[in-house]
Amino acid sequence: MSEKIVAVVGSGYMGGGIAQVLALSGATVKIADISAEIAQSNYDRLIEESKQFVADGLFPAGATETLQANLSPAASIEEAVADADFIEEAVPEKIEIKHATLARISKAARPDAIIGSNTSTILIGKLAEAVEHPERFLGVHFSNPAPFIPGVELIPHAGTDEAILPTVESIVQATGKQTAR
């Protein structure tokens, strides 16, 4: 999957874990958060965490170096998503925060970029209301802890273009995870 450029918006434990598995699959991944400082701090945590995961046998040897090569913090959401093929939103489960974030993402992203939300409690159709070109939007729900739970739900809404589903399945399956629609 090395040709894919991915952004993960929301770099806490959920988004950070998602960013790790995507970067380990070979994607170039940028993480963004409410500030460049938080994105940098979470990047540093993810690198340190990966060292322990390697020591514990949870990540393969060389995983930290792969993350250092493929994962980077962005100065802003807009910078992170500008060139991304796929964007995963993983901000807190509050519709106001998700709507504001998805509006920023969809305004700054390429019109053909696919946008996924890691929501587990908010209807995808309600979140799609905040997205420009909502046909490129769907739920892509990883479970916590993202590096270790093998399944990922793909949740289209009524307006999702079905043609994007194989691309999203390919991105997720490159991480070694199984998708379920």
Side-chain angles (χ1 to χ4, degrees):
M1 187 175 98
S2 58
E3 72 280 355
K4 292 290 181 201
I5 299 172
V6 176
V8 178
V9 178
S11 61
Y13 282 96
M14 196 69 232
I18 295 167
Q20 283 176 322
V21 298
L22 291 165
L24 289 172
S25 77
T28 299
V29 181
K30 290 185 182 179
I31 56 172
D33 216 296
I34 57 173
S35 72
E37 294 77 21
I38 290 174
Q40 180 66 53
S41 174
N42 282 330
Y43 168 82
D44 295 341
R45 174 185 54 80
L46 293 169
I47 296 303
E48 286 307 308
E49 188 178 82
S50 74
K51 292 175 185 174
Q52 187 62 52
F53 289 162
V54 170
D56 292 343
L58 298 170
F59 276 3
T64 300
E65 293 76 14
T66 300
L67 289 174
Q68 289 170 322
N70 294 344
L71 182 63
S72 62
S76 67
I77 290 171
E78 290 76 10
E79 177 192 314
V81 305
D83 296 323
D85 301 305
F86 174 70
I87 302 150
E88 177 77 346
E89 167 274 310
V91 301
E93 290 285 305
K94 295 187 187 254
I95 195 163
E96 314 77 42
I97 296 172
K98 287 192 178 285
H99 269 182
T101 303
L102 288 165
R104 274 180 79 181
I105 288 169
S106 65
K107 182 179 211 102
R110 299 186 334 243
D112 65 331
I114 298 170
I115 302 171
S117 175
N118 196 60
T119 191
S120 61
T121 61
I122 302 170
L123 293 174
I124 297 302
K126 291 302 283 179
L127 292 178
E129 295 169 359
V131 177
E132 292 179 19
H133 307 291
E135 65 277 2
R136 64 180 169 160
F137 177 71
L138 74 163
V140 182
H141 180 232
F142 289 77
S143 293
N144 198 16
F148 309 115
I149 303 297
V152 177
E153 292 177 287
L154 301 185
I155 313 155
H157 61 93
T160 300
D161 180 353
E162 294 282 323
I164 69 171
L165 290 170
T167 300
V168 178
E169 285 176 330
S170 171
I171 291 167
V172 172
Q173 289 169 353
T175 70
K177 299 194 177 299
Q178 296 296 313
T179 59
R181 293 188 190 184

